[in-house]
Amino acid sequence: MNRPSVAAVGTIIWLASEVMFFAALFAMYFSLRGAAPELWAEGTEQLNVVFATINTLILVASSVACQFGVFAAERLQSRRTGWAPSQWGLVEWFFLSYALGALFVAGQVFEYATLISEGLSISTNAYGSIFFLATGFHGLHVTGGLIAFLLIIGRAYSAKRFTHRHATSAIVVSYYWHFVDVVWIALFFVIYVLK
Amino acid sequence: MRSNAIILGVLGLFFLLADATYWIWQFAAGQPIDWVGSLAILMTVALAWFPAYFLWKADKNTGGVLPEDLDDADIDDGEGNIGFYSPWSWWPISLAAAVGVITLGFVIGLWLSAIGFVLVLVTLVGWSFEYNRGHFGA
Protein backbone atom coordinates (compact mmCIF):
# COMPACT_ATOMS: atom_id res chain seq x y z
CA MET A 1 0.00 0.00 0.00
CA ASN A 2 1.03 3.52 -0.76
CA ARG A 3 1.16 5.78 2.28
CA PRO A 4 1.51 9.54 1.84
CA SER A 5 4.95 10.78 2.76
CA VAL A 6 5.24 12.12 6.30
CA ALA A 7 6.90 15.23 4.86
CA ALA A 8 3.78 15.94 2.77
CA VAL A 9 1.38 15.36 5.68
CA GLY A 10 3.51 17.51 7.98
CA THR A 11 3.62 20.33 5.44
CA ILE A 12 -0.15 20.31 5.02
CA ILE A 13 -0.73 20.40 8.79
CA TRP A 14 1.74 23.28 9.11
CA LEU A 15 0.08 25.15 6.23
CA ALA A 16 -3.30 24.68 7.93
CA SER A 17 -1.85 26.43 10.97
CA GLU A 18 -0.48 29.14 8.67
CA VAL A 19 -4.07 29.75 7.56
CA MET A 20 -4.78 30.86 11.12
CA PHE A 21 -1.69 33.09 11.17
CA PHE A 22 -3.06 34.97 8.17
CA ALA A 23 -6.56 34.83 9.68
CA ALA A 24 -5.17 36.93 12.54
CA LEU A 25 -3.83 39.48 10.04
CA PHE A 26 -7.19 39.61 8.23
CA ALA A 27 -8.95 40.04 11.58
CA MET A 28 -6.62 42.93 12.41
CA TYR A 29 -7.32 44.51 9.05
CA PHE A 30 -11.08 44.36 9.46
CA SER A 31 -11.18 45.45 13.09
CA LEU A 32 -8.99 48.50 12.37
CA ARG A 33 -11.09 49.28 9.34
CA GLY A 34 -14.27 49.04 11.39
CA ALA A 35 -12.79 51.36 14.04
CA ALA A 36 -11.36 54.00 11.67
CA PRO A 37 -13.20 54.03 8.31
CA GLU A 38 -11.95 57.56 7.53
CA LEU A 39 -8.33 56.32 7.47
CA TRP A 40 -9.35 53.77 4.85
CA ALA A 41 -11.07 56.32 2.65
CA GLU A 42 -7.84 58.31 2.62
CA GLY A 43 -5.29 55.46 2.66
CA THR A 44 -6.71 53.31 -0.13
CA GLU A 45 -6.60 56.34 -2.44
CA GLN A 46 -2.80 56.05 -2.48
CA LEU A 47 -2.74 52.45 -3.73
CA ASN A 48 -1.72 51.73 -7.30
CA VAL A 49 -4.17 48.99 -8.21
CA VAL A 50 -2.91 48.48 -11.77
CA PHE A 51 0.64 47.91 -10.54
CA ALA A 52 -0.55 45.49 -7.84
CA THR A 53 -2.65 43.58 -10.40
CA ILE A 54 0.38 43.07 -12.65
CA ASN A 55 2.41 41.96 -9.63
CA THR A 56 -0.34 39.51 -8.68
CA LEU A 57 -0.33 38.03 -12.20
CA ILE A 58 3.45 37.57 -11.92
CA LEU A 59 3.02 35.59 -8.69
CA VAL A 60 0.26 33.45 -10.23
CA ALA A 61 2.52 32.75 -13.23
CA SER A 62 5.23 31.71 -10.78
CA SER A 63 2.82 29.21 -9.24
CA VAL A 64 2.03 27.79 -12.69
CA ALA A 65 5.75 27.39 -13.46
CA CYS A 66 6.20 25.72 -10.07
CA GLN A 67 3.45 23.21 -10.92
CA PHE A 68 5.16 22.33 -14.20
CA GLY A 69 8.29 21.76 -12.13
CA VAL A 70 6.31 19.32 -10.01
CA PHE A 71 5.12 17.47 -13.14
CA ALA A 72 8.77 17.17 -14.18
CA ALA A 73 9.72 15.94 -10.69
CA GLU A 74 6.94 13.36 -10.85
CA ARG A 75 8.44 11.95 -14.05
CA LEU A 76 11.76 12.03 -12.11
CA GLN A 77 13.26 14.41 -14.65
CA SER A 78 15.55 16.89 -12.91
CA ARG A 79 17.22 18.49 -15.97
CA ARG A 80 16.09 19.54 -19.40
CA THR A 81 16.58 17.33 -22.46
CA GLY A 82 16.18 20.23 -24.86
CA TRP A 83 15.44 23.93 -25.00
CA ALA A 84 11.68 23.64 -25.54
CA PRO A 85 9.65 24.11 -22.32
CA SER A 86 8.05 20.71 -22.91
CA GLN A 87 11.52 19.20 -22.43
CA TRP A 88 12.34 21.14 -19.28
CA GLY A 89 13.11 19.37 -16.05
CA LEU A 90 12.47 20.35 -12.46
CA VAL A 91 15.52 22.62 -12.27
CA GLU A 92 14.54 24.81 -15.25
CA TRP A 93 10.94 25.23 -14.12
CA PHE A 94 11.98 26.04 -10.57
CA PHE A 95 14.49 28.60 -11.84
CA LEU A 96 11.67 30.26 -13.80
CA SER A 97 9.42 30.11 -10.75
CA TYR A 98 12.20 31.62 -8.65
CA ALA A 99 12.74 34.45 -11.13
CA LEU A 100 9.02 35.32 -11.21
CA GLY A 101 8.81 35.15 -7.41
CA ALA A 102 11.84 37.42 -7.09
CA LEU A 103 10.22 39.83 -9.56
CA PHE A 104 7.14 39.89 -7.33
CA VAL A 105 9.22 40.75 -4.25
CA ALA A 106 11.09 43.43 -6.22
CA GLY A 107 7.74 44.86 -7.32
CA GLN A 108 6.60 44.94 -3.73
CA VAL A 109 9.75 46.74 -2.61
CA PHE A 110 9.14 49.29 -5.38
CA GLU A 111 5.54 49.70 -4.22
CA TYR A 112 6.68 50.19 -0.60
CA ALA A 113 9.22 52.80 -1.67
CA THR A 114 6.55 54.69 -3.64
CA LEU A 115 4.09 54.63 -0.73
CA ILE A 116 6.69 55.76 1.78
CA SER A 117 7.76 58.62 -0.51
CA GLU A 118 4.09 59.62 -0.65
CA GLY A 119 3.97 59.69 3.14
CA LEU A 120 2.38 56.33 4.01
CA SER A 121 4.67 54.26 6.22
CA ILE A 122 4.16 51.61 8.88
CA SER A 123 4.07 54.30 11.60
CA THR A 124 1.85 56.83 9.78
CA ASN A 125 -1.49 55.54 11.03
CA ALA A 126 -3.48 52.36 11.61
CA TYR A 127 -4.01 51.90 7.87
CA GLY A 128 -0.27 52.11 7.18
CA SER A 129 0.47 49.67 10.01
CA ILE A 130 -1.84 46.92 8.85
CA PHE A 131 -1.06 47.46 5.17
CA PHE A 132 2.66 46.98 5.73
CA LEU A 133 2.18 44.23 8.32
CA ALA A 134 -0.13 42.13 6.14
CA THR A 135 1.73 42.56 2.85
CA GLY A 136 5.09 42.48 4.66
CA PHE A 137 4.45 39.17 6.41
CA HIS A 138 3.29 37.78 3.09
CA GLY A 139 6.44 39.14 1.44
CA LEU A 140 8.56 37.39 4.09
CA HIS A 141 6.76 34.14 3.27
CA VAL A 142 7.52 34.64 -0.42
CA THR A 143 11.17 35.30 0.41
CA GLY A 144 11.29 32.12 2.49
CA GLY A 145 9.81 30.24 -0.46
CA LEU A 146 12.52 31.64 -2.74
CA ILE A 147 15.19 30.26 -0.38
CA ALA A 148 13.38 26.91 -0.42
CA PHE A 149 13.45 26.91 -4.24
CA LEU A 150 17.21 27.40 -4.18
CA LEU A 151 17.66 24.51 -1.73
CA ILE A 152 15.56 22.20 -3.92
CA ILE A 153 17.45 23.25 -7.06
CA GLY A 154 20.71 22.63 -5.20
CA ARG A 155 19.54 19.19 -4.14
CA ALA A 156 18.53 18.35 -7.70
CA TYR A 157 22.01 19.31 -8.93
CA SER A 158 23.82 17.36 -6.23
CA ALA A 159 21.75 14.20 -6.71
CA LYS A 160 23.59 11.28 -8.24
CA ARG A 161 20.25 9.90 -9.31
CA PHE A 162 17.03 11.90 -8.99
CA THR A 163 14.68 9.72 -6.95
CA HIS A 164 11.25 9.92 -5.34
CA ARG A 165 12.91 11.33 -2.23
CA HIS A 166 14.01 14.40 -4.20
CA ALA A 167 10.63 14.63 -5.93
CA THR A 168 8.85 14.64 -2.55
CA SER A 169 10.78 17.66 -1.27
CA ALA A 170 10.05 19.50 -4.54
CA ILE A 171 6.33 18.67 -4.25
CA VAL A 172 6.27 19.83 -0.63
CA VAL A 173 7.82 23.18 -1.59
CA SER A 174 5.18 23.52 -4.33
CA TYR A 175 2.43 23.03 -1.72
CA TYR A 176 3.90 25.93 0.23
CA TRP A 177 4.30 28.09 -2.87
CA HIS A 178 0.69 27.55 -3.99
CA PHE A 179 -0.48 28.31 -0.45
CA VAL A 180 1.43 31.59 -0.37
CA ASP A 181 -0.01 32.40 -3.79
CA VAL A 182 -3.59 31.77 -2.64
CA VAL A 183 -3.01 33.88 0.47
CA TRP A 184 -1.81 36.71 -1.76
CA ILE A 185 -4.92 36.48 -3.92
CA ALA A 186 -7.04 36.79 -0.76
CA LEU A 187 -4.91 39.73 0.46
CA PHE A 188 -5.08 41.36 -2.97
CA PHE A 189 -8.83 41.03 -2.99
CA VAL A 190 -9.22 42.47 0.51
CA ILE A 191 -6.67 45.29 0.21
CA TYR A 192 -6.89 46.36 -3.44
CA VAL A 193 -10.34 45.30 -4.67
CA LEU A 194 -12.56 45.63 -1.61
CA LYS A 195 -10.66 48.71 -0.40
CA MET B 1 -6.47 7.97 7.63
CA ARG B 2 -10.05 7.76 6.38
CA SER B 3 -11.28 8.32 9.94
CA ASN B 4 -8.96 11.33 10.35
CA ALA B 5 -10.35 12.86 7.16
CA ILE B 6 -13.94 12.31 8.30
CA ILE B 7 -13.32 13.74 11.79
CA LEU B 8 -11.69 16.86 10.33
CA GLY B 9 -14.50 17.13 7.77
CA VAL B 10 -17.15 17.05 10.52
CA LEU B 11 -15.16 19.64 12.48
CA GLY B 12 -15.10 21.95 9.46
CA LEU B 13 -18.84 21.50 9.01
CA PHE B 14 -19.36 22.41 12.66
CA PHE B 15 -17.34 25.62 12.25
CA LEU B 16 -19.33 26.46 9.12
CA LEU B 17 -22.59 26.07 11.01
CA ALA B 18 -21.14 28.08 13.90
CA ASP B 19 -20.25 30.86 11.47
CA ALA B 20 -23.76 30.84 9.96
CA THR B 21 -25.27 30.96 13.45
CA TYR B 22 -22.97 33.85 14.32
CA TRP B 23 -24.20 35.78 11.27
CA ILE B 24 -27.87 35.10 11.92
CA TRP B 25 -27.41 36.05 15.56
CA GLN B 26 -25.94 39.43 14.60
CA PHE B 27 -28.85 40.16 12.28
CA ALA B 28 -31.35 39.03 14.89
CA ALA B 29 -29.75 41.33 17.48
CA GLY B 30 -29.79 44.20 14.97
CA GLN B 31 -26.02 44.66 15.25
CA PRO B 32 -23.68 45.72 12.45
CA ILE B 33 -21.86 42.79 10.83
CA ASP B 34 -18.76 41.79 12.78
CA TRP B 35 -16.28 41.06 9.99
CA VAL B 36 -13.52 40.06 12.37
CA GLY B 37 -15.36 37.19 14.03
CA SER B 38 -17.21 36.07 10.93
CA LEU B 39 -13.98 35.87 8.95
CA ALA B 40 -11.99 34.25 11.76
CA ILE B 41 -14.56 31.47 12.18
CA LEU B 42 -14.71 31.03 8.40
CA MET B 43 -10.93 30.61 8.28
CA THR B 44 -11.25 27.95 11.00
CA VAL B 45 -13.31 26.02 8.45
CA ALA B 46 -10.28 26.20 6.15
CA LEU B 47 -8.08 25.08 9.05
CA ALA B 48 -10.11 21.86 9.35
CA TRP B 49 -11.00 21.19 5.70
CA PHE B 50 -7.52 21.80 4.35
CA PRO B 51 -5.92 18.71 5.99
CA ALA B 52 -9.25 16.85 5.66
CA TYR B 53 -9.17 17.21 1.87
CA PHE B 54 -5.50 16.27 1.70
CA LEU B 55 -5.95 13.16 3.86
CA TRP B 56 -9.04 12.18 1.86
CA LYS B 57 -7.11 12.40 -1.43
CA ALA B 58 -4.11 10.61 0.10
CA ASP B 59 -6.37 7.84 1.35
CA LYS B 60 -7.81 7.38 -2.16
CA ASN B 61 -4.26 7.06 -3.50
CA THR B 62 -3.22 4.31 -1.09
CA GLY B 63 -4.91 1.74 -3.30
CA GLY B 64 -6.46 -0.18 -0.42
CA VAL B 65 -7.68 0.13 3.15
CA LEU B 66 -5.01 1.13 5.66
CA PRO B 67 -4.84 -1.02 8.81
CA GLU B 68 -5.76 1.95 11.04
CA ASP B 69 -9.14 2.09 9.29
CA LEU B 70 -9.84 -1.62 9.87
CA ASP B 71 -11.58 -2.79 13.02
CA ASP B 72 -9.89 -6.18 12.96
CA ALA B 73 -6.34 -5.05 12.16
CA ASP B 74 -3.36 -6.11 14.28
CA ILE B 75 -0.63 -3.78 15.50
CA ASP B 76 1.96 -5.36 13.22
CA ASP B 77 -0.21 -4.74 10.14
CA GLY B 78 0.94 -1.14 10.37
CA GLU B 79 4.64 -1.99 10.41
CA GLY B 80 7.09 -0.97 7.74
CA ASN B 81 8.94 2.12 6.69
CA ILE B 82 7.36 5.30 8.03
CA GLY B 83 9.92 7.56 6.44
CA PHE B 84 13.56 8.50 6.59
CA TYR B 85 14.77 9.91 9.90
CA SER B 86 18.33 10.92 10.56
CA PRO B 87 19.75 8.74 13.37
CA TRP B 88 21.65 11.74 14.70
CA SER B 89 22.31 15.21 13.38
CA TRP B 90 23.81 18.38 14.81
CA TRP B 91 22.08 20.61 12.27
CA PRO B 92 18.60 21.06 13.82
CA ILE B 93 19.95 22.28 17.16
CA SER B 94 22.50 24.46 15.38
CA LEU B 95 19.69 26.05 13.34
CA ALA B 96 17.71 26.62 16.54
CA ALA B 97 20.74 28.29 18.13
CA ALA B 98 21.23 30.47 15.03
CA VAL B 99 17.59 31.61 15.18
CA GLY B 100 18.19 32.28 18.87
CA VAL B 101 21.10 34.58 17.94
CA ILE B 102 18.78 36.55 15.60
CA THR B 103 16.20 36.96 18.36
CA LEU B 104 18.88 37.95 20.86
CA GLY B 105 19.92 40.61 18.35
CA PHE B 106 16.51 42.28 18.71
CA VAL B 107 17.38 42.87 22.37
CA ILE B 108 21.11 43.62 22.18
CA GLY B 109 21.57 45.20 18.76
CA LEU B 110 20.72 44.45 15.17
CA TRP B 111 24.40 43.76 14.32
CA LEU B 112 23.99 40.50 16.26
CA SER B 113 20.89 39.64 14.18
CA ALA B 114 22.96 40.09 11.03
CA ILE B 115 25.49 37.54 12.31
CA GLY B 116 22.59 35.26 13.27
CA PHE B 117 21.14 35.55 9.78
CA VAL B 118 24.39 34.30 8.24
CA LEU B 119 24.45 31.44 10.76
CA VAL B 120 20.87 30.55 9.79
CA LEU B 121 21.83 30.35 6.12
CA VAL B 122 24.82 28.11 6.95
CA THR B 123 22.84 25.77 9.21
CA LEU B 124 19.85 25.69 6.85
CA VAL B 125 22.05 24.61 3.95
CA GLY B 126 23.89 22.22 6.25
CA TRP B 127 20.66 20.57 7.34
CA SER B 128 19.07 20.29 3.92
CA PHE B 129 22.23 18.94 2.33
CA GLU B 130 23.30 16.58 5.10
CA TYR B 131 21.90 13.63 3.15
CA ASN B 132 22.29 15.21 -0.29
CA ARG B 133 26.05 15.49 -0.65
CA GLY B 134 29.21 13.41 -0.48
CA HIS B 135 28.26 9.76 -0.22
CA PHE B 136 24.59 10.59 -0.86
CA GLY B 137 25.04 13.06 -3.70
CA ALA B 138 27.14 13.52 -6.77
Side-chain angles (χ1 to χ4, degrees), chain A residues 160-178:
Chain A
K160 221 177 274 175
R161 205 163 56 84
F162 192 85
T163 61
H164 281 289
R165 187 168 69 87
H166 299 91
T168 301
S169 51
I171 290 166
V172 156
V173 167
S174 88
Y175 287 163
Y176 175 76
W177 197 247
H178 295 324

Side-chain angles (χ1 to χ4, degrees), chain A residues 86-153:
Chain A
S86 60
Q87 293 164 310
W88 282 8
L90 166 78
V91 166
E92 287 76 24
W93 281 114
F94 268 28
F95 266 130
L96 178 64
S97 199
Y98 177 90
L100 291 168
L103 205 59
F104 172 85
V105 175
Q108 234 182 3
V109 169
F110 180 75
E111 191 187 12
Y112 281 6
T114 315
L115 283 175
I116 289 170
S117 71
E118 287 170 359
L120 183 74
S121 79
I122 193 163
S123 51
T124 309
N125 55 32
Y127 180 73
S129 299
I130 189 59
F131 174 83
F132 283 105
L133 272 181
T135 57
F137 269 118
H138 177 268
L140 283 178
H141 277 80
V142 175
T143 312
L146 292 180
I147 294 170
F149 273 135
L150 290 185
L151 293 173
I152 296 301
I153 291 169

